[in-house]
Amino acid sequence: MANLAVFASGNGSNFEAIVHALQNTPHRVVCLISDQPKAFALDRAKRLGIPVHVFRFRTPAERETSEKGILEVLKNYKTDLIALAGFMRVLSPLFVDAYPKRIVNIHPSLLPKYPGVHGIRDSFLSRDPELGITIHYVDYGVDSGPIILQRSFKRAGTESLEEIEERIHRLEHEEYPRVLLQLLDSLEQDFHKESFKGKGVHT
Ligand code: GRF
């Protein structure tokens, strides 16, 4: 079993897809972390029975205190992996270093194209024949970490922004839970290897 914490600032549709995908697996979503007390993701969490922790990030000082608080919360849940799912804050190097290669993000464009908050709009406005999504590890930058997976689709060029948005979200809801599940499975295998090694020392 491995423990996943999800961070979200807004709607939370990816968060909900992840929670559903982890049901009937050995893994669990231990909590939702948000910087927005009114985010719809919080309503979803309540409905799904997932504990919520809100930490504000409005000033650099607040971010520093909040990150310390979040690390404490994550430790209490024995968190193994963090999934950012529409979390609109940049985490400090200190925080990122606390979970090396254990923080994952999803972005609604084919990175390195169109990083930042308007990934879908910028992709839509481009003349790119293919659009898509990127799942990547988080580093110190914005949407810049090592890529784990990209999925794309061809556009006809006649779709509305809403249609493109829907297509991208559908892809996100399929791929993000699948990738997270794989990462959680491989973390669990590492734990088994570690405990096997541990036993080996004593026999
Ligand atoms: C998604 O498009 C994700 O790629 C981006 O933020 C959006 C979050 O959507 N990082 P939701 O809150 O999961 O519905």
Side-chain angles (χ1 to χ4, degrees), residues 10-15 85-86 106-108 120 169 172:
N11 179 24
S13 67
N14 279 282
F15 160 67
I106 183 154
H107 187 75
I120 297 185
H169 288 313
E172 290 186 330

Side-chain angles (χ1 to χ4, degrees), residues 111-197:
L111 291 171
K113 283 181 173 181
Y114 320 121
V117 288
H118 298 298
I120 297 185
R121 193 200 63 190
D122 295 344
S123 301
F124 175 75
L125 291 176
S126 77
R127 286 164 183 254
D128 299 351
E130 281 192 43
L131 307 179
I133 62 159
T134 304
I135 296 166
H136 66 95
Y137 289 110
V138 171
D139 65 4
Y140 300 162
V142 175
D143 304 322
S144 56
I147 290 173
I148 303 170
L149 175 115
Q150 290 191 305
R151 277 281 309 275
S152 65
F153 60 90
K154 287 199 170 56
R155 74 198 296 193
T158 50
E159 304 93 339
S160 65
L161 174 61
E162 291 70 30
E163 282 166 338
I164 292 289
E165 232 161 25
E166 202 192 307
R167 184 95 193 255
I168 286 179
H169 288 313
R170 221 171 37 228
L171 209 50
E172 290 186 330
H173 299 161
E174 280 166 27
E175 296 299 329
Y176 204 20
R178 197 175 60 78
V179 167
L180 291 170
L181 205 53
Q182 279 176 4
L183 292 174
L184 291 163
D185 279 344
S186 88
L187 282 172
E188 193 187 15
Q189 278 173 17
D190 291 349
F191 303 151
H192 285 314
K193 275 186 218 147
E194 285 306 310
S195 70
F196 183 71
K197 262 195 237 152

